[in-house]
C-alpha cells in the first residue's frame, strides 16, 4: 500500500531470501538539513549481495531517490566488503547483514523531507535473483537528536573507509613485478592495532584486467603484511597496466582503508628487454619534443623575453652573449627539474600527474597573470628597479635586470608558459616518463629541457649568431611597446581560462586589480618603494579572490553536434556500427585551440563529424577531472591535446598526433569505419 513511514525506520520490505528497510541516525533534520541514514539488508543464510565493484560476477547495490520531495542531494557510501570464491570466481560483497550509509541534504531545512526511492540489488547463492524494493520514509524538520537506530547507522559508518573511525591501517607501498603471465602486484601494509587478523587487499583497476586473491605473508609479529596479487590481462586489451590508475582497498575484518595510486614498477623488472639502448629512442623523442616547444604557438607570448635578452648585447660582446644564453638555458633546465621533482613526489604520494595541469589551478593563473603584467609594464617603461630594497623587489626586478639572474628567470618563466602545449613527440616522452620511476622521469625531463634550450645553447657556442640581429636604435623603443602588447594578450588569454574556472565576477575583480596595479606602476611621481608596496598589496588581494568570489561551473559549453564525454558509451556506440571521435581539450591548451581552428572547424571535418553514424564526444579538461585524467592515463598520456577515433574497424581506437592534419583525420575515419 502507498504510504510514507515516519520515524527512525521504514517498514521492512520482505522477499523470500531477504528483507530491506531504511533506518535513520537522527529523529529530525536539524538546523543544517543534513542527516545520515542507512539502507539495511538482512539476508538468509548462504545468500549474498554485492559491493560497488562486484568482481567476476554480479552487480552492485544501488539506491535511486529521484522521486523524493525537498531533497537537494544525497551521497551513497560503501562499507568494507568481503571476498567470496565460488568455482574459481572472485566476487566482493556482503552476507547475513549489511547497512549502506547515505547522507542526505534538504533543500529547505525548515521543511520535512519525503524520501521515495528504489533499491536495486542482486541476491546470489547457487542461483542469482535481481530485486527492486520501493522504500519510503518521512524525515521531519526540527532540532536534531539521535534516533533509536543511530547505533546501527553509526556502526556501519565506521566501516566506510575514510568516513568512519580511525582504523590504524595503512598501505605503505605498492608496485608491479614481473611481466606477461608472471605479472604480479606487490602491496605492503601495516597496522597500529593489535596486529592483522585476516587481512585482504581488493584491487579495482581499469577494464581489461583481473586481480586474483592475494598470497598473504604476515610480518613483524602481525604489524605488517605483504600481499602478492597475480594480474591477468584479457585478450582484447593491450595488456599494459603500468601507468594506469588503480584503487587498493585494504580490509581486515570490519576495518578498511582505500588508497588510489598509479601502477608502476619499483625497479626495472629483471629479464625485461628495457635497458639503456631501449631508452635512447625515448630520450631522442624528448630532445626533439623540447626543441619543437620553441616553435609552438603557446611559446609565442614569451617571445619578448627571448628577444630582449639578445638585443641588449653590444656588438662584439661574445662573453656577455655566452653568459646570457647559458643562464637562460640553466633556467629552462631548472624548471624542468622542478617539474620532474614535483611529478615524482606526487606519484610517490599516489596522485595523478599530468603535463600542464597547473593551468587548472586559479591561483597559478592569477600569479602568472600578475608576473606577465609586470613584464609588460616594464617593457612600456612605466617602472625601473634601480636599487631593490627588499625580497619582493629583488624577485620582481631580477627578471629584468642586466645580469645572469634575470636571464635565468627568463628561462624559468618561458618553461612555465610553455607547459600548456603538447608538441609532437613531447606527449610520447612525457607519457613514458610519468609511467616509469623517478630516475626515468628526471632523465626524460632533462632531455626535454636540453631540447628547449638548444637555440640558446647554439648561440652560446657561437656568439656571432646573435650579431645577425639588427643594431640597437630607436626601433627598440617601438619593439618594446609592441612586445608589451603581446604580453598583455597573454594576460587576456590567462584571464579567459580563469573565467571558465571562477566565473565573470571573480575574473573581473582580478582583471581590475591587475589594471590598477599597472596604473600605479605608471605613476612615476611615487617612489618605487611605495609603488612596490601598493602592487604587493593588490597581489595579495587578487590571490584571495578565488576564496570569496569564485563560482565554479561544471557545465561545458559545446557546439550543437558535440556531446559530453562518456567513456562507458563508447563500446556500445562502436558495437552499433558507429564511429566515435573523442576530443580531449581545455581552454588553457593553446595547441588544442590551434587544432580546433585549423582542422576541426574546417568544413570538410565539420561535415564528417555531423554525419548520422558519427558520435563526436568532447572531454573538457579545463577544470580538474579524475575521469578524464584516468582516461588519458589508460593510453599512457599525461597531457593534451589528445584525439582518438573508435569504430568497427578500430574498436581499440586510433590515437591521432598532437598536431592534427585534415588528411590524418580523414584517413583515421576511413580506417575506423572498416572500409579500408
Amino acid at each position: 500500500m502507498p504510504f510514507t513511514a515516519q520515524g527512525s525506520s521504514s517498514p521492512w520490505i520482505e522477499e523470500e531470501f531477504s528483507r530491506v528497510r531504511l533506518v535513520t541516525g537522527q529523529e529530525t533534520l536539524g538546523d543544517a538539513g543534513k542527516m545520515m541514514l542507512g539502507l539495511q539488508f538482512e539476508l538468509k543464510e548462504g545468500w549474498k549481495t554485492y559491493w560497488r565493484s562486484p568482481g567476476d560476477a554480479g552487480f552492485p547495490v544501488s539506491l535511486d531517490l529521484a522521486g523524493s520531495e525537498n531533497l537537494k542531494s544525497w551521497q551513497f557510501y560503501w562499507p568494507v566488503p568481503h571476498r567470496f570464491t565460488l568455482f574459481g570466481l572472485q566476487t566482493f560483497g556482503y552476507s547475513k547483514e549489511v547497512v549502506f550509509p547515505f547522507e542526505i541534504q534538504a533543500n529547505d531545512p525548515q521543511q520535512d523531507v519525503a524520501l521515495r526511492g528504489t533499491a536495486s540489488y542482486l541476491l546470489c547463492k547457487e542461483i542469482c535473483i535481481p530485486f527492486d524494493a520501493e522504500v519510503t520514509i518521512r524525515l521531519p524538520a526540527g532540532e536534531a537528536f539521535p534516533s533509536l537506530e543511530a547505533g546501527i547507522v553509526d556502526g556501519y559508518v565506521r566501516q566506510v573507509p575514510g568516513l568512519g573511525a580511525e582504523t590504524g591501517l595503512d598501505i605503505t607501498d605498492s608496485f608491479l613485478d614481473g611481466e606477461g603471465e608472471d605479472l604480479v602486484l606487490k602491496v605492503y601494509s601495516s597496522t597500529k592495532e593489535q596486529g592483522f587478523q585476516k587481512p585482504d587487499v581488493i584491487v579495482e583497476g581499469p577494464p581489461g584486467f583481473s586481480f586474483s586473491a592475494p598470497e598473504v605473508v604476515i610480518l613483524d609479529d602481525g604489524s605488517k603484511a605483504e600481499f602478492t596479487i597475480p594480474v591477468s590481462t584479457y585478450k582484447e586489451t593491450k595488456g599494459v597496466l603500468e601507468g594506469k590508475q588503480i584503487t587498493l582497498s585494504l580490509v581486515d575484518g570490519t576495518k578498511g582503508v582505500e588508497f588510489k595510486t598509479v601502477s608502476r614498477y619499483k625497479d626495472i623488472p629483471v629479464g625485461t628487454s628495457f635497458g639503456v639502448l631501449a631508452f635512447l629512442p625515448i630520450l631522442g623523442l624528448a630532445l626533439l619534443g623540447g626543441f619543437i616547444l620553441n616553435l609552438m604557438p603557446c611559446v609565442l607570448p614569451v617571445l619578448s623575453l627571448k628577444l630582449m635578452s639578445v638585443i641588449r648585447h653590444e656588438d662584439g660582446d661574445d662573453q656577455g652573449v655566452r653568459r646570457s644564453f647559458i643562464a637562460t638555458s640553466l633556467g629552462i633546465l631548472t624548471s624542468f627539474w622542478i617539474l620532474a621533482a614535483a611529478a615524482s613526489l606526487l606519484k610517490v604520494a599516489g596522485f595523478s600527474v599530468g603535463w600542464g595541469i597547473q593551468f587548472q589551478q586559479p591561483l597559478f593563473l592569477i600569479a602568472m597573470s600578475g608576473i606577465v603584467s609586470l613584464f609588460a609594464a616594464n617593457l612600456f617603461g612605466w617602472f625601473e628597479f634601480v636599487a631593490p630594497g627588499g625580497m619582493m623587489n629583488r624577485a620582481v626586478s631580477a627578471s629584468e635586470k642586466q645580469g645572469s639572474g634575470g636571464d635565468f628567470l627568463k628561462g624559468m618563466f618561458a618553461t612555465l608558459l610553455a607547459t600548456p602545449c603538447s608538441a609532437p613527440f613531447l606527449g610520447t616522452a612525457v607519457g613514458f616518463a610519468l609511467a616509469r620511476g623517478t630516475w626515468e622521469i628526471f632523465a626524460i625531463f632533462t632531455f626535454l629541457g636540453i631540447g628547449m634550450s638548444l637555440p640558446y645553447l647554439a648561440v652560446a657556442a657561437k656568439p656571432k649568431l646573435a650579431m645577425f640581429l639588427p643594431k640597437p636604435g630607436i626601433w627598440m623603443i617601438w619593439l618594446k611597446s609592441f612586445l608589451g602588447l603581446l604580453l598583455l594578450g597573454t594576460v587576456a588569454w590567462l584571464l579567459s581560462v580563469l573565467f571558465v574556472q571562477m566565473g565573470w565576477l571573480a575574473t573581473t575583480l582580478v582583471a581590475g586589480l591587475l589594471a590598477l596595479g599597472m596604473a600605479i606602476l605608471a605613476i612615476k611621481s611615487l617612489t618605487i618603494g611605495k609603488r612596490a608596496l601598493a602592487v604587493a598589496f593588490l597581489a595579495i588581494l587578487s590571490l584571495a579572490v578565488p576564496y570569496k568570489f569564485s563560482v565554479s561551473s561544471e557545465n561545458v559549453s559545446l557546439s550543437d553536434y558535440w556531446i559530453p564525454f562518456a567513456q562507458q558509451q563508447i563500446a556500445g556506440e562502436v558495437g552499433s556500427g558507429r564511429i566515435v571521435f573523442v576530443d580531449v581539450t581545455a581552454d588553457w591548451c593553446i595547441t588544442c585551440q590551434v587544432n580546433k581552428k585549423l582542422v576541426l572547424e574546417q568544413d570538410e571535418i565539420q561535415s564528417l563529424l555531423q554525419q548520422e553514424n558519427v558520435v563526436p564526444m568532447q572531454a573538457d579538461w579545463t577544470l580538474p577531472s579524475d575521469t578524464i585524467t584516468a582516461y588519458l592515463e589508460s593510453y599512457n598520456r599525461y597531457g593534451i591535446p589528445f584525439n582518438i577515433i573508435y569504430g568497427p574497424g578500430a574498436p581499440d581506437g586510433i590515437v591521432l598526433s598532437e598536431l592534427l592534419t585534415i588528411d590524418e583525420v580523414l584517413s583515421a575515419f576511413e580506417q575506423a569505419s572498416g572500409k579500408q
Side-chain angles (χ1 to χ4, degrees):
M1 294 177 62
F3 69 96
T4 301
Q6 180 170 318
S8 59
S9 66
S10 68
W12 286 104
I13 309 298
E14 303 209 22
E15 304 290 350
E16 184 177 357
F17 309 109
S18 67
R19 60 178 186 166
V20 59
R21 67 172 180 170
L22 296 178
V23 291
T24 68
Q26 299 171 194
E27 290 288 349
T28 48
L29 287 171
D31 295 337
K34 284 186 177 181
M35 179 184 290
M36 187 68 77
L37 298 92
L39 179 64
Q40 183 180 14
F41 285 85
E42 289 186 357
L43 311 177
K44 288 194 173 181
E45 187 67 30
W47 291 86
K48 63 179 182 292
T49 192
Y50 293 94
W51 187 49
R52 67 185 182 209
S53 295
D56 294 329
F59 66 77
V61 172
S62 65
L63 178 63
D64 183 3
L65 298 176
S68 302
E69 298 176 10
N70 193 31
L71 178 63
K72 181 179 181 180
S73 61
W74 76 93
Q75 178 68 48
F76 195 80
Y77 298 104
W78 301 89
V80 293
H82 302 286
R83 184 188 300 268
F84 300 97
T85 303
L86 182 64
F87 303 120
L89 297 178
Q90 304 289 323
T91 58
F92 309 105
Y94 314 89
S95 60
K96 296 182 180 179
E97 181 185 43
V98 64
V99 176
F100 297 94
F102 65 98
E103 187 175 40
I104 64 100
Q105 172 66 61
N107 267 319
D108 183 358
Q110 306 305 316
Q111 301 293 325
D112 293 357
V113 172
L115 293 185
R116 300 187 186 91
T118 302
S120 300
Y121 59 100
L122 182 70
L123 291 182
C124 289
K125 194 176 181 182
E126 285 81 9
I127 62 172
C128 292
I129 308 172
F131 291 98
D132 288 326
E134 302 297 324
V135 291
T136 62
I137 194 170
R138 180 170 290 278
L139 310 174
E143 183 178 352
F145 60 92
S147 71
L148 296 175
E149 310 295 347
I152 297 176
V153 177
D154 292 343
Y156 278 89
V157 166
R158 287 193 291 271
Q159 296 184 35
V160 176
L163 184 66
E166 175 63 38
T167 64
L169 302 178
D170 187 26
I171 294 177
T172 57
D173 196 11
S174 67
F175 56 86
L176 297 172
D177 190 21
E179 61 175 339
E181 296 181 357
D182 298 324
L183 180 65
V184 296
L185 177 65
K186 292 277 193 178
V187 179
Y188 293 86
S189 62
S190 64
T191 178
K192 297 178 182 178
E193 302 295 331
Q194 297 177 351
F196 283 113
Q197 302 301 314
K198 194 176 180 181
D200 190 9
V201 169
I202 301 172
V203 184
E204 298 172 86
F209 297 90
S210 64
F211 304 86
S212 302
E215 298 178 7
V216 185
V217 177
I218 305 297
L219 306 168
D220 293 353
D221 298 325
S223 63
K224 296 181 180 179
E226 175 189 87
F227 302 85
T228 302
I229 306 168
V231 181
S232 300
T233 305
Y234 300 156
K235 292 181 179 180
E236 60 267 22
T237 68
K238 297 179 180 179
V240 179
L241 178 61
E242 184 184 12
K244 295 181 173 63
Q245 184 168 302
I246 57 175
T247 300
L248 306 175
S249 296
L250 173 61
V251 176
D252 191 19
T254 60
K255 299 182 297 183
V257 65
E258 288 182 8
F259 183 72
K260 293 184 184 294
T261 186
V262 174
S263 54
R264 58 179 176 84
Y265 282 100
K266 186 172 185 178
D267 297 303
I268 301 173
V270 177
T272 62
S273 60
F274 182 80
V276 176
L277 292 178
F279 197 36
L280 290 178
I282 299 297
L283 295 179
L285 290 177
L287 192 70
L288 187 56
F291 173 74
I292 294 178
L293 272 179
N294 290 283
L295 309 176
M296 297 299 291
C298 46
V299 186
L300 290 179
V302 296
L303 178 62
S304 59
L305 305 181
K306 299 182 178 184
L307 287 180
M308 298 309 293
S309 68
V310 176
I311 61 177
R312 70 165 182 258
H313 293 288
E314 297 180 359
D315 191 12
D317 185 13
D318 288 1
Q319 292 303 317
V321 172
R322 189 171 279 121
R323 283 194 303 270
S324 171
F325 280 79
I326 289 177
T328 303
S329 299
L330 288 175
I332 293 172
L333 279 169
T334 300
S335 290
F336 275 97
W337 288 332
I338 292 173
L339 290 172
S344 299
L345 289 173
L346 288 173
K347 284 198 67 176
V348 170
F351 291 95
S352 297
V353 291
W355 178 255
I357 61 174
Q358 69 270 26
F359 280 80
Q360 296 174 343
Q361 306 304 322
L363 290 180
F364 176 82
L365 292 170
I366 294 171
M368 290 305 297
S369 298
I371 291 169
V372 176
S373 296
L374 282 177
F375 289 156
N378 183 268
L379 289 173
F380 291 145
W382 293 349
F383 74 96
E384 294 286 345
F385 285 109
V386 179
M391 282 298 294
M392 180 177 177
N393 292 357
R394 286 195 292 271
V396 175
S397 63
S399 61
E400 290 303 325
K401 68 182 181 181
Q402 304 290 331
S404 298
D407 294 314
F408 180 85
L409 288 182
K410 283 186 176 68
M412 295 193 71
F413 289 136
T415 305
L416 283 175
L417 286 177
T419 51
C421 285
S422 184
F425 310 111
L426 177 69
T428 303
V430 171
F432 183 89
L434 296 181
R436 305 297 299 191
T438 299
W439 82 267
E440 292 103 328
I441 291 176
F442 270 91
I444 289 173
F445 273 64
T446 296
F447 272 75
L448 286 168
I450 293 173
M452 189 172 175
S453 302
L454 282 177
Y456 298 95
L457 294 173
V459 175
K462 191 72 173 176
K464 295 299 182 184
L465 292 174
M467 299 305 110
F468 288 99
L469 292 171
K471 302 298 181 182
I474 191 66
W475 64 273
M476 292 179 60
I477 299 175
W478 293 100
L479 177 61
K480 288 179 66 175
S481 299
F482 174 71
L483 295 175
L485 291 174
L486 282 183
L487 287 184
L488 289 183
T490 302
V491 174
W493 166 64
L494 291 168
L495 292 177
S496 70
V497 178
L498 195 66
F499 168 76
V500 177
Q501 299 183 10
M502 299 200 316
W504 69 269
L505 177 58
T507 305
T508 301
L509 289 174
V510 171
L513 290 170
L514 288 174
L516 181 57
M518 293 186 70
I520 291 174
L521 288 173
I523 305 175
K524 295 187 177 181
S525 58
L526 295 175
T527 65
I528 191 63
K530 291 181 179 179
R531 282 184 279 170
L533 286 175
V535 169
F537 176 71
L538 294 175
I540 294 172
L541 286 181
S542 66
L543 291 173
V545 166
Y547 298 100
K548 183 67 176 177
F549 300 99
S550 177
V551 180
S552 178
S553 174
E554 298 294 334
N555 297 323
V556 180
S557 178
L558 302 175
S559 302
D560 293 338
Y561 57 88
W562 288 101
I563 66 172
F565 174 70
Q567 185 178 0
Q568 67 275 13
Q569 296 180 12
I570 294 175
E573 297 288 358
V574 173
S576 301
R578 298 185 180 89
I579 298 172
V580 179
F581 181 90
V582 177
D583 175 35
V584 185
T585 184
D587 288 354
W588 46 261
C589 173
I590 299 296
T591 315
C592 301
Q593 308 310 317
V594 172
N595 285 338
K596 181 178 178 182
K597 294 295 183 184
L598 298 184
V599 177
L600 299 182
E601 290 186 349
Q602 296 302 307
D603 292 341
E604 195 170 5
I605 303 301
Q606 290 264 304
S607 60
L608 192 62
L609 293 175
Q610 296 180 55
Q611 292 180 3
E612 290 186 3
N613 69 323
V614 175
V615 181
M617 289 186 179
Q618 193 169 87
D620 193 298
W621 209 31
T622 302
L623 299 174
S625 168
D626 292 338
T627 300
I628 297 176
T629 301
Y631 177 69
L632 289 171
E633 289 174 351
S634 69
Y635 288 92
N636 283 334
R637 290 297 185 92
Y638 297 84
I640 54 176
F642 178 74
N643 298 96
I644 185 170
I645 300 177
Y646 305 86
D652 293 330
I654 302 170
V655 178
L656 305 179
S657 59
E658 286 88 350
L659 274 178
L660 297 178
T661 65
I662 292 177
D663 289 341
E664 179 190 23
V665 175
L666 293 176
S667 175
F669 262 98
E670 186 175 357
Q671 182 180 344
S673 68
K675 296 179 181 179
Q676 278 192 344

